Amino acid sequence: SPLKGRKAIITSGPTIEPIDPVRFISNRSSGKQGHAIASLLSKLGAETHLITGPVNIPYPENIKVTEIDTAEEMLNACMRSLPADISIFAAAVSDWRAANQSPKKIKKSNNRNTDMNILFEQNADILKTISKTNKNRPKLVVGFSAETENVNKNSITKMKKKNCDLIIANNVSKKGIGFNSDYNEV
């Protein structure tokens, strides 16, 4: 067990940001990649904590799991999990949330010409918060970069901006690769 005595935090799956009690914004993350990474780290002996958004796959055995919905919940769970030796941020976190979430279902208007506008605000950057501003920064911080263009350039910029030790660049513009797939290309 080469990682015996080490503590690892893995984020996985999507986050969902409510617009009202029945609608939300999210993405197509299945959680497969993050769950597989958590499973392997556990098998290598690390005390592994998986922080996951809503997924339809089984959780790996012998690991601590925290289920979350929103980016804010994921950030709070990550902060509570520190200190850690290894942190791998594989979750596809929603960058934005509704600025004014409605406590009631937003109803359609009978007037088809009525527009509904949703104002968005940025979520906190979990990867950046853990790697840059936290006194308990893990020894190894790994991020993921899902890109549709300029994959290498954008990913290197992200790695520097967010102070990661390593970034995994995913070209998600290719059909059948990345989101909602069993295959990935990095």
Side-chain angles (χ1 to χ4, degrees):
S1 300
L3 296 179
K4 187 173 177 71
R6 305 280 185 190
K7 183 178 175 187
I9 301 168
I10 314 301
T11 66
S12 186
T15 60
I16 60 173
E17 302 298 332
I19 295 169
D20 67 16
V22 298
R23 296 177 186 91
F24 59 85
I25 57 172
S26 189
N27 58 61
R28 300 178 189 271
S29 177
S30 66
K32 291 177 182 179
Q33 186 167 251
H35 282 52
I37 292 168
S39 179
L40 180 60
L41 288 172
S42 177
K43 288 176 183 172
L44 291 173
E47 176 190 335
T48 305
H49 183 185
L50 176 66
I51 302 168
T52 182
V55 295
N56 292 315
I57 56 175
Y59 297 143
E61 295 179 10
N62 302 317
I63 64 171
K64 177 182 178 183
V65 176
T66 299
E67 296 175 339
I68 58 85
D69 286 323
T70 68
E72 183 177 19
E73 291 170 351
M74 183 172 277
L75 174 59
N76 291 337
C78 288
M79 297 296 282
R80 285 190 305 270
S81 295
L82 295 174
D85 300 293
I86 302 164
S87 59
I88 301 178
F89 296 91
V93 178
S94 296
D95 293 325
W96 305 93
R97 67 177 176 251
N100 294 314
Q101 178 185 340
S102 175
K104 297 179 183 175
K105 180 182 173 186
I106 301 169
K107 297 287 194 178
K108 278 193 285 191
S109 169
N110 288 333
N111 181 354
R112 292 189 69 176
N113 295 324
T114 302
D115 290 334
M116 181 181 83
N117 295 310
I118 301 171
L119 295 175
F120 291 101
E121 61 187 4
Q122 254 184 314
N123 276 319
D125 188 319
I126 298 169
L127 174 59
K128 187 176 182 179
T129 299
I130 299 296
S131 69
K132 257 192 166 177
T133 61
N134 194 288
K135 65 180 180 179
N136 289 320
R137 184 190 191 279
K139 293 176 183 128
L140 177 65
V141 177
V142 179
F144 281 75
S145 180
E147 299 291 340
T148 58
E149 60 184 354
N150 301 318
V151 176
N152 290 340
K153 180 183 175 196
N154 290 341
S155 297
I156 289 168
T157 298
K158 183 177 183 178
M159 183 175 74
K160 290 176 182 175
K161 181 179 172 185
K162 297 185 184 213
N163 197 37
C164 319
D165 299 305
L166 182 71
I167 197 147
I168 311 298
N170 291 281
N171 184 346
V172 296
S173 68
K174 296 180 179 182
K175 188 174 176 124
I177 298 292
F179 290 117
N180 212 20
S181 173
D182 287 338
Y183 303 98
N184 204 353
E185 184 176 294
V186 298

